[in-house]
Amino acid sequence: MPKNDPRTLVSTEWLETQLNDPDIRILDASWFLPTSGRDPKAEFATGHIPGARFFDIDEIADLRSSLPHMVPPVEKFMSRVREMGVGDGHQVVVYDTSGIFSAPRVWWLFKLMGHKDVAVLDGGLPKWKSENRPITTEPAVIRDRHMFVTFQKEMVKDVTQVSHASKLQDYAIIDARSAERFRGEVEEPREGMRSGHIPNARNVPFSSLLNADQTMKSPEETKAIFEAAGVDLNKPAITSCGSGITAAILILAMERFGKTDHALYDGSWTEWGAFPTVPIATGEA
């Protein structure tokens, strides 16, 4: 049983006891790779946790960018969450249909916007369903509430900042992709990407932090995994992945073992791998 922390990770058991709390807001943040052929919004309509609202990662984003689901402008984030009835004083719980995959991205996005009371559902919808907890197709009743945003700019990095960090080695750069992708042994899922990793990065595949049932391993276990990968936890961290989704899983794990000086490289490999002037490393770190 995970220790319930309303600022990082909560259990299915805990959430079921909170379903009637008027200050709980549940968000389905399911997202799939474009090649999956799956429609998370359509799946949400066929059944979700009672009271949940769908958070569209690809739409609540900076659509002016050529990169996918980049951090949205503050005003857009505020208006979208208000439309979902999420605001100040709410405890937000985010889940996804994979277990722990895309929900941490939305957890991180709320943290980036200065909202502290937000947690990921450990094991997500698969665990919830496996325990025969309630599912509904009914839409949530929306009551408008304002959210005050304080943007935490130190929590997000761009390609220039990551390039400097790679050269100076003053940050621990951690890549959440699979070992094969990190080493540059396989083609990237997005066309036109070079293969490999950011020089001086270390590899902690996000899947290594999860149990077989897609719950997160204990803080002690995940810390040991970071250390075994050669991550210098005395340095501030920058996490990266394919497109800024699973990099947030690494941040969630670090928060749980007490490391709070971290940032996410929003463009991640989708940007770095297509950027002609930045160097690429291959093989082991």
Side-chain angles (χ1 to χ4, degrees), residues 2 5 22 26 43 60 74 94 99 107 116 128 135 153 168-169 186 214 218 223 238 241 245 247-249 267 274:
D5 178 358
I26 304 168
E43 291 185 23
I60 305 174
V74 167
V94 194
W107 167 84
K116 296 182 173 68
W128 183 272
I135 293 289
K153 68 178 189 307
L168 298 174
Q169 298 184 49
V186 293
Q214 298 301 298
S218 72
K223 186 178 183 185
I238 297 172
C241 60
I245 298 280
I249 299 174

Side-chain angles (χ1 to χ4, degrees), residues 103-205:
R105 167 72 187 194
V106 173
W107 167 84
W108 172 80
L109 200 51
F110 272 85
K111 298 277 190 189
L112 180 67
M113 299 295 176
H115 190 84
K116 296 182 173 68
D117 297 320
V118 57
V120 170
L121 180 63
D122 200 18
L125 195 63
K127 189 167 194 290
W128 183 272
K129 284 182 168 178
S130 74
E131 295 163 346
N132 294 313
R133 301 189 190 276
I135 293 289
T136 185
T137 56
E138 292 294 313
V141 177
I142 306 293
R143 293 184 182 87
D144 199 309
R145 191 186 290 191
H146 178 71
M147 179 179 285
F148 182 75
V149 165
T150 311
F151 191 77
Q152 311 292 310
K153 68 178 189 307
E154 72 284 354
M155 285 180 59
V156 64
K157 300 293 183 188
D158 63 24
V159 66
T160 304
Q161 293 167 313
V162 177
S163 181
H164 287 158
S166 171
K167 286 175 193 158
L168 298 174
Q169 298 184 49
D170 52 350
Y171 283 80
I173 301 173
I174 319 163
D175 192 321
R177 294 174 303 152
S178 69
E180 296 79 13
R181 287 175 70 187
F182 179 82
R183 293 192 297 257
E185 295 169 355
V186 293
E187 281 189 20
E188 282 295 302
R190 286 182 170 83
E191 220 172 292
M193 301 288 106
R194 296 177 293 168
S195 296
H197 60 264
I198 299 166
N200 298 312
R202 295 292 180 267
N203 186 210
V204 177

Side-chain angles (χ1 to χ4, degrees), residues 1-5 8-10 100 122 204 208-211 215-228 233 249-259:
M1 176 75 60
K3 178 177 176 287
N4 291 302
D5 178 358
T8 55
L9 200 67
V10 295
I100 293 183
D122 200 18
V204 177
S208 69
L209 305 175
L210 305 178
N211 297 307
T215 55
M216 186 165 272
K217 292 177 180 176
S218 72
E220 296 75 23
E221 289 174 297
T222 56
K223 186 178 183 185
I225 290 166
F226 278 80
E227 290 171 339
L233 293 173
I249 299 174
L250 305 191
I251 289 179
L252 177 62
M254 286 190 281
E255 277 281 322
R256 292 186 72 230
F257 63 68
K259 183 169 178 60

